[in-house]
PDB file of all heavy atoms in Angstrom:
ATOM      1  N   GLY B 111     -17.801  32.376 -12.418  1.00  0.00           N
ATOM      2  CA  GLY B 111     -17.679  30.953 -12.088  1.00  0.00           C
ATOM      3  C   GLY B 111     -19.036  30.310 -12.046  1.00  0.00           C
ATOM      4  O   GLY B 111     -20.057  30.978 -11.931  1.00  0.00           O
ATOM      5  N   ILE B 112     -19.018  28.971 -12.166  1.00  0.00           N
ATOM      6  CA  ILE B 112     -20.273  28.235 -12.122  1.00  0.00           C
ATOM      7  C   ILE B 112     -20.041  26.961 -11.323  1.00  0.00           C
ATOM      8  O   ILE B 112     -18.918  26.673 -10.922  1.00  0.00           O
ATOM      9  CB  ILE B 112     -20.792  27.986 -13.548  1.00  0.00           C
ATOM     10  CG1 ILE B 112     -22.324  27.915 -13.571  1.00  0.00           C
ATOM     11  CG2 ILE B 112     -20.196  26.712 -14.125  1.00  0.00           C
ATOM     12  CD1 ILE B 112     -22.862  28.031 -14.980  1.00  0.00           C
ATOM     13  N   TYR B 113     -21.113  26.219 -11.107  1.00  0.00           N
ATOM     14  CA  TYR B 113     -21.075  25.051 -10.213  1.00  0.00           C
ATOM     15  C   TYR B 113     -21.659  23.864 -10.922  1.00  0.00           C
ATOM     16  O   TYR B 113     -22.694  24.001 -11.627  1.00  0.00           O
ATOM     17  CB  TYR B 113     -21.896  25.403  -8.959  1.00  0.00           C
ATOM     18  CG  TYR B 113     -22.338  24.250  -8.100  1.00  0.00           C
ATOM     19  CD1 TYR B 113     -21.659  23.932  -6.926  1.00  0.00           C
ATOM     20  CD2 TYR B 113     -23.439  23.474  -8.444  1.00  0.00           C
ATOM     21  CE1 TYR B 113     -22.067  22.876  -6.117  1.00  0.00           C
ATOM     22  CE2 TYR B 113     -23.856  22.404  -7.658  1.00  0.00           C
ATOM     23  CZ  TYR B 113     -23.151  22.101  -6.484  1.00  0.00           C
ATOM     24  OH  TYR B 113     -23.564  21.080  -5.696  1.00  0.00           O
ATOM     25  N   SER B 114     -21.060  22.686 -10.732  1.00  0.00           N
ATOM     26  CA  SER B 114     -21.732  21.440 -11.128  1.00  0.00           C
ATOM     27  C   SER B 114     -21.308  20.347 -10.151  1.00  0.00           C
ATOM     28  O   SER B 114     -20.705  20.638  -9.098  1.00  0.00           O
ATOM     29  CB  SER B 114     -21.445  21.060 -12.569  1.00  0.00           C
ATOM     30  OG  SER B 114     -22.260  19.967 -12.931  1.00  0.00           O
ATOM     31  N   ASP B 115     -21.613  19.113 -10.470  1.00  0.00           N
ATOM     32  CA  ASP B 115     -21.442  18.009  -9.531  1.00  0.00           C
ATOM     33  C   ASP B 115     -21.014  16.776 -10.356  1.00  0.00           C
ATOM     34  O   ASP B 115     -21.524  16.555 -11.476  1.00  0.00           O
ATOM     35  CB  ASP B 115     -22.754  17.767  -8.816  1.00  0.00           C
ATOM     36  CG  ASP B 115     -22.636  16.726  -7.716  1.00  0.00           C
ATOM     37  OD1 ASP B 115     -22.490  15.547  -8.026  1.00  0.00           O
ATOM     38  OD2 ASP B 115     -22.698  17.141  -6.530  1.00  0.00           O
ATOM     39  N   ALA B 116     -20.119  16.003  -9.786  1.00  0.00           N
ATOM     40  CA  ALA B 116     -19.617  14.806 -10.446  1.00  0.00           C
ATOM     41  C   ALA B 116     -20.645  13.681 -10.550  1.00  0.00           C
ATOM     42  O   ALA B 116     -20.467  12.723 -11.311  1.00  0.00           O
ATOM     43  CB  ALA B 116     -18.382  14.275  -9.739  1.00  0.00           C
ATOM     44  N   GLY B 117     -21.747  13.805  -9.827  1.00  0.00           N
ATOM     45  CA  GLY B 117     -22.700  12.717  -9.749  1.00  0.00           C
ATOM     46  C   GLY B 117     -23.922  12.879 -10.613  1.00  0.00           C
ATOM     47  O   GLY B 117     -23.962  13.742 -11.512  1.00  0.00           O
ATOM     48  N   TRP B 118     -24.942  12.085 -10.359  1.00  0.00           N
ATOM     49  CA  TRP B 118     -26.184  12.157 -11.133  1.00  0.00           C
ATOM     50  C   TRP B 118     -26.860  13.496 -10.902  1.00  0.00           C
ATOM     51  O   TRP B 118     -27.483  14.027 -11.804  1.00  0.00           O
ATOM     52  CB  TRP B 118     -27.160  11.041 -10.699  1.00  0.00           C
ATOM     53  CG  TRP B 118     -26.675   9.634 -10.812  1.00  0.00           C
ATOM     54  CD1 TRP B 118     -26.540   8.742  -9.778  1.00  0.00           C
ATOM     55  CD2 TRP B 118     -26.263   8.939 -11.989  1.00  0.00           C
ATOM     56  NE1 TRP B 118     -26.099   7.546 -10.272  1.00  0.00           N
ATOM     57  CE2 TRP B 118     -25.914   7.625 -11.608  1.00  0.00           C
ATOM     58  CE3 TRP B 118     -26.161   9.296 -13.349  1.00  0.00           C
ATOM     59  CZ2 TRP B 118     -25.458   6.667 -12.528  1.00  0.00           C
ATOM     60  CZ3 TRP B 118     -25.720   8.341 -14.263  1.00  0.00           C
ATOM     61  CH2 TRP B 118     -25.377   7.038 -13.842  1.00  0.00           C
ATOM     62  N   GLU B 119     -26.769  13.979  -9.695  1.00  0.00           N
ATOM     63  CA  GLU B 119     -27.467  15.232  -9.312  1.00  0.00           C
ATOM     64  C   GLU B 119     -26.563  16.081  -8.470  1.00  0.00           C
ATOM     65  O   GLU B 119     -25.682  15.581  -7.760  1.00  0.00           O
ATOM     66  CB  GLU B 119     -28.715  14.905  -8.479  1.00  0.00           C
ATOM     67  CG  GLU B 119     -29.824  14.192  -9.216  1.00  0.00           C
ATOM     68  CD  GLU B 119     -31.092  14.098  -8.397  1.00  0.00           C
ATOM     69  OE1 GLU B 119     -31.007  14.252  -7.149  1.00  0.00           O
ATOM     70  OE2 GLU B 119     -32.138  13.827  -8.987  1.00  0.00           O
ATOM     71  N   THR B 120     -26.799  17.394  -8.495  1.00  0.00           N
ATOM     72  CA  THR B 120     -26.092  18.273  -7.563  1.00  0.00           C
ATOM     73  C   THR B 120     -26.636  18.063  -6.153  1.00  0.00           C
ATOM     74  O   THR B 120     -27.662  17.359  -5.954  1.00  0.00           O
ATOM     75  CB  THR B 120     -26.315  19.748  -7.941  1.00  0.00           C
ATOM     76  OG1 THR B 120     -27.684  20.074  -7.674  1.00  0.00           O
ATOM     77  CG2 THR B 120     -26.046  19.980  -9.428  1.00  0.00           C
ATOM     78  N   CYS B 121     -26.007  18.705  -5.200  1.00  0.00           N
ATOM     79  CA  CYS B 121     -26.471  18.568  -3.799  1.00  0.00           C
ATOM     80  C   CYS B 121     -27.858  19.150  -3.643  1.00  0.00           C
ATOM     81  O   CYS B 121     -28.636  18.724  -2.797  1.00  0.00           O
ATOM     82  CB  CYS B 121     -25.477  19.197  -2.845  1.00  0.00           C
ATOM     83  SG  CYS B 121     -23.847  18.403  -2.917  1.00  0.00           S
ATOM     84  N   GLY B 122     -28.208  20.101  -4.491  1.00  0.00           N
ATOM     85  CA  GLY B 122     -29.530  20.682  -4.483  1.00  0.00           C
ATOM     86  C   GLY B 122     -30.517  19.958  -5.392  1.00  0.00           C
ATOM     87  O   GLY B 122     -31.621  20.493  -5.625  1.00  0.00           O
ATOM     88  N   GLY B 123     -30.154  18.788  -5.907  1.00  0.00           N
ATOM     89  CA  GLY B 123     -31.067  18.010  -6.724  1.00  0.00           C
ATOM     90  C   GLY B 123     -31.195  18.446  -8.170  1.00  0.00           C
ATOM     91  O   GLY B 123     -32.068  18.014  -8.907  1.00  0.00           O
TER      92      GLY B 123
END
Side-chain angles (χ1 to χ4, degrees):
Chain B
I112 211 164
Y113 163 101
S114 189
D115 187 289
W118 302 120
E119 292 187 343
T120 70
C121 298

